[in-house]
Amino acid sequence: MFRDRVAWAAIRRALLEDGVSKRRICRETGIHWTTLQKILRHETPPAFSKRLRPSAESLAGEIDRVVAAGNLKPRDRRPTPEQIAALLTEQTGQPVTPVIVRRLRSPVLRRDHAWSEVLQRLDAALGVEARKIMVDLLTVEPDRLPLDRLKKLRSALRAASRPLPIVNDSLR
Protein backbone atom coordinates (compact mmCIF):
# COMPACT_ATOMS: atom_id res chain seq x y z
CA MET A 1 0.00 0.00 0.00
CA PHE A 2 1.15 3.51 -0.81
CA ARG A 3 2.13 5.18 2.48
CA ASP A 4 4.64 7.90 1.59
CA ARG A 5 3.17 11.00 3.26
CA VAL A 6 5.28 13.49 1.29
CA ALA A 7 4.39 11.94 -2.08
CA TRP A 8 0.75 11.66 -0.95
CA ALA A 9 0.61 15.39 -0.21
CA ALA A 10 2.42 16.28 -3.46
CA ILE A 11 -0.01 14.21 -5.54
CA ARG A 12 -3.02 15.77 -3.81
CA ARG A 13 -1.57 19.25 -4.34
CA ALA A 14 -0.88 18.57 -8.02
CA LEU A 15 -4.38 17.24 -8.60
CA LEU A 16 -6.42 19.66 -6.52
CA GLU A 17 -4.44 22.91 -6.73
CA ASP A 18 -2.33 22.73 -9.89
CA GLY A 19 -4.98 21.02 -12.03
CA VAL A 20 -2.81 18.18 -13.34
CA SER A 21 -4.89 15.37 -14.87
CA LYS A 22 -5.37 12.08 -13.06
CA ARG A 23 -4.10 10.14 -16.06
CA ARG A 24 -0.87 12.13 -16.14
CA ILE A 25 -0.31 11.57 -12.39
CA CYS A 26 -0.81 7.82 -12.80
CA ARG A 27 1.53 7.71 -15.80
CA GLU A 28 4.30 9.77 -14.18
CA THR A 29 4.21 8.27 -10.70
CA GLY A 30 3.36 4.71 -11.70
CA ILE A 31 0.58 4.39 -9.13
CA HIS A 32 -2.62 2.55 -9.91
CA TRP A 33 -5.88 4.31 -10.62
CA THR A 34 -7.55 2.94 -7.47
CA THR A 35 -4.62 4.17 -5.37
CA LEU A 36 -5.13 7.61 -6.87
CA GLN A 37 -8.80 7.45 -5.88
CA LYS A 38 -7.75 6.67 -2.29
CA ILE A 39 -5.38 9.62 -2.32
CA LEU A 40 -8.26 11.86 -3.34
CA ARG A 41 -10.56 10.45 -0.65
CA HIS A 42 -8.10 10.84 2.25
CA GLU A 43 -5.91 13.80 3.18
CA THR A 44 -3.24 11.53 4.66
CA PRO A 45 -2.55 7.83 4.16
CA PRO A 46 -5.09 5.84 6.17
CA ALA A 47 -3.66 4.21 9.27
CA PHE A 48 -3.07 0.50 9.13
CA SER A 49 -5.52 -1.20 11.45
CA LYS A 50 -4.28 -4.46 12.83
CA ARG A 51 -6.92 -6.85 14.09
CA LEU A 52 -6.19 -8.02 17.56
CA ARG A 53 -5.98 -11.78 17.81
CA PRO A 54 -6.15 -13.79 20.98
CA SER A 55 -2.82 -15.17 22.05
CA ALA A 56 -2.09 -18.76 21.08
CA GLU A 57 -1.29 -19.69 24.67
CA SER A 58 -4.67 -18.59 25.95
CA LEU A 59 -6.44 -20.42 23.13
CA ALA A 60 -4.47 -23.64 23.53
CA GLY A 61 -5.94 -24.32 26.96
CA GLU A 62 -9.47 -23.57 25.79
CA ILE A 63 -9.07 -25.76 22.70
CA ASP A 64 -7.71 -28.61 24.83
CA ARG A 65 -10.69 -28.27 27.15
CA VAL A 66 -13.22 -28.39 24.28
CA VAL A 67 -11.43 -31.30 22.60
CA ALA A 68 -11.23 -33.26 25.87
CA ALA A 69 -14.96 -32.77 26.39
CA GLY A 70 -15.58 -33.83 22.79
CA ASN A 71 -13.49 -36.99 23.15
CA LEU A 72 -16.14 -38.35 25.50
CA LYS A 73 -18.67 -38.24 22.65
CA PRO A 74 -18.91 -40.67 19.72
CA ARG A 75 -16.57 -39.82 16.85
CA ASP A 76 -19.33 -38.47 14.59
CA ARG A 77 -20.48 -36.02 17.30
CA ARG A 78 -17.10 -34.55 18.19
CA PRO A 79 -16.71 -30.83 17.47
CA THR A 80 -15.07 -29.84 14.20
CA PRO A 81 -12.47 -27.06 14.02
CA GLU A 82 -15.17 -24.78 12.58
CA GLN A 83 -17.46 -25.47 15.54
CA ILE A 84 -14.61 -24.98 18.02
CA ALA A 85 -13.66 -21.69 16.34
CA ALA A 86 -17.27 -20.45 16.50
CA LEU A 87 -17.50 -21.43 20.16
CA LEU A 88 -14.23 -19.68 21.06
CA THR A 89 -15.20 -16.60 19.06
CA GLU A 90 -18.43 -16.45 21.04
CA GLN A 91 -16.66 -16.97 24.38
CA THR A 92 -13.69 -14.64 23.86
CA GLY A 93 -15.37 -11.99 21.72
CA GLN A 94 -12.38 -12.01 19.39
CA PRO A 95 -12.24 -13.63 15.96
CA VAL A 96 -10.88 -17.19 16.01
CA THR A 97 -10.50 -19.01 12.71
CA PRO A 98 -10.61 -22.76 12.09
CA VAL A 99 -7.03 -22.50 10.80
CA ILE A 100 -5.84 -21.35 14.23
CA VAL A 101 -7.76 -24.20 15.86
CA ARG A 102 -6.23 -26.77 13.49
CA ARG A 103 -2.75 -25.38 14.07
CA LEU A 104 -3.11 -25.52 17.84
CA ARG A 105 -4.80 -28.95 17.82
CA SER A 106 -1.92 -30.62 15.97
CA PRO A 107 1.05 -29.84 18.20
CA VAL A 108 4.63 -30.91 17.62
CA LEU A 109 4.03 -33.68 20.17
CA ARG A 110 2.45 -35.79 17.45
CA ARG A 111 5.77 -35.82 15.62
CA ASP A 112 7.48 -36.87 18.85
CA HIS A 113 4.98 -39.68 19.38
CA ALA A 114 5.34 -40.90 15.80
CA TRP A 115 9.14 -40.74 16.04
CA SER A 116 9.21 -42.65 19.34
CA GLU A 117 7.03 -45.39 17.84
CA VAL A 118 9.30 -45.57 14.77
CA LEU A 119 12.31 -45.97 17.08
CA GLN A 120 10.58 -48.71 19.07
CA ARG A 121 9.68 -50.61 15.91
CA LEU A 122 13.21 -50.23 14.52
CA ASP A 123 14.60 -51.53 17.81
CA ALA A 124 12.29 -54.53 17.61
CA ALA A 125 13.15 -55.22 13.96
CA LEU A 126 16.88 -54.44 13.88
CA GLY A 127 18.14 -54.18 17.41
CA VAL A 128 19.40 -51.14 19.26
CA GLU A 129 22.85 -50.98 17.65
CA ALA A 130 21.56 -51.23 14.07
CA ARG A 131 18.91 -48.61 14.82
CA LYS A 132 21.58 -46.21 16.13
CA ILE A 133 23.62 -46.69 12.96
CA MET A 134 20.56 -46.03 10.75
CA VAL A 135 19.64 -42.89 12.67
CA ASP A 136 23.22 -41.63 12.35
CA LEU A 137 23.01 -42.11 8.57
CA LEU A 138 20.00 -39.79 8.27
CA THR A 139 20.79 -36.52 6.51
CA VAL A 140 18.13 -34.67 8.50
CA GLU A 141 17.76 -34.45 12.23
CA PRO A 142 15.20 -37.11 13.16
CA ASP A 143 13.00 -34.69 15.06
CA ARG A 144 12.92 -32.41 11.98
CA LEU A 145 11.50 -35.04 9.64
CA PRO A 146 8.13 -34.01 8.17
CA LEU A 147 5.19 -35.61 9.91
CA ASP A 148 3.84 -37.19 6.72
CA ARG A 149 7.14 -39.00 6.14
CA LEU A 150 7.21 -40.21 9.72
CA LYS A 151 3.68 -41.52 9.35
CA LYS A 152 4.60 -43.36 6.14
CA LEU A 153 7.65 -44.87 7.80
CA ARG A 154 5.60 -45.84 10.84
CA SER A 155 2.90 -47.49 8.72
CA ALA A 156 5.54 -49.40 6.71
CA LEU A 157 7.14 -50.62 9.93
CA ARG A 158 3.74 -51.59 11.31
CA ALA A 159 3.00 -53.64 8.21
CA ALA A 160 6.41 -55.30 8.25
CA SER A 161 6.55 -56.23 11.92
CA ARG A 162 4.30 -57.82 14.45
CA PRO A 163 2.30 -55.54 16.79
CA LEU A 164 4.19 -54.01 19.67
CA PRO A 165 2.89 -54.19 23.21
CA ILE A 166 1.49 -50.82 24.27
CA VAL A 167 4.15 -49.22 26.44
CA ASN A 168 2.60 -45.78 26.70
CA ASP A 169 -0.97 -44.68 26.00
CA SER A 170 0.25 -41.39 24.52
CA LEU A 171 1.60 -43.22 21.46
CA ARG A 172 -1.87 -43.86 20.08
Side-chain angles (χ1 to χ4, degrees):
M1 180 177 229
F2 191 72
R3 296 210 179 271
D4 185 5
R5 289 178 169 267
V6 176
W8 191 284
I11 291 170
R12 280 184 61 86
R13 188 171 34 262
L15 283 168
L16 300 175
E17 296 174 8
D18 299 339
V20 180
S21 71
K22 295 177 186 178
R23 181 177 293 184
R24 182 174 174 192
I25 294 289
C26 287
R27 186 177 56 240
E28 289 178 358
T29 60
I31 63 173
H32 195 269
W33 181 260
T34 56
T35 305
L36 185 63
Q37 298 303 317
K38 285 182 187 178
I39 291 173
L40 288 174
R41 277 196 308 264
H42 305 283
E43 289 185 22
T44 60
F48 179 71
S49 63
K50 189 174 184 178
R51 290 191 316 178
L52 295 176
R53 296 182 185 162
S55 67
E57 295 82 25
S58 66
L59 285 179
E62 291 295 316
I63 291 172
D64 289 342
R65 182 185 56 78
V66 172
V67 170
N71 285 341
L72 300 175
K73 299 178 182 177
R75 185 172 284 281
D76 60 338
R77 292 201 176 154
R78 292 180 185 170
T80 63
E82 289 78 13
Q83 293 168 337
I84 294 172
L87 179 70
L88 291 176
T89 299
E90 183 180 309
Q91 287 179 353
T92 62
Q94 297 179 352
V96 179
T97 63
V99 174
I100 293 173
V101 173
R102 283 188 194 99
R103 195 173 297 147
L104 291 175
R105 272 183 75 180
S106 59
V108 179
L109 295 176
R110 287 189 180 180
R111 178 179 291 130
D112 295 340
H113 293 311
W115 178 245
S116 63
E117 185 179 342
V118 165
L119 289 179
Q120 284 180 354
R121 290 193 179 275
L122 283 173
D123 285 346
L126 303 172
V128 177
E129 291 301 318
R131 191 249 317 156
K132 286 181 182 176
I133 293 170
M134 282 189 65
V135 170
D136 288 341
L137 291 174
L138 288 175
T139 58
V140 179
E141 288 294 320
D143 56 343
R144 300 270 186 211
L145 285 173
L147 187 57
D148 61 336
R149 290 188 185 170
L150 278 176
K151 286 181 178 178
K152 287 178 185 176
L153 179 59
R154 183 179 62 183
S155 64
L157 286 169
R158 280 180 180 169
S161 65
R162 63 183 187 282
L164 286 176
I166 297 176
V167 176
N168 188 351
D169 288 338
S170 64
L171 295 178
R172 292 201 169 238

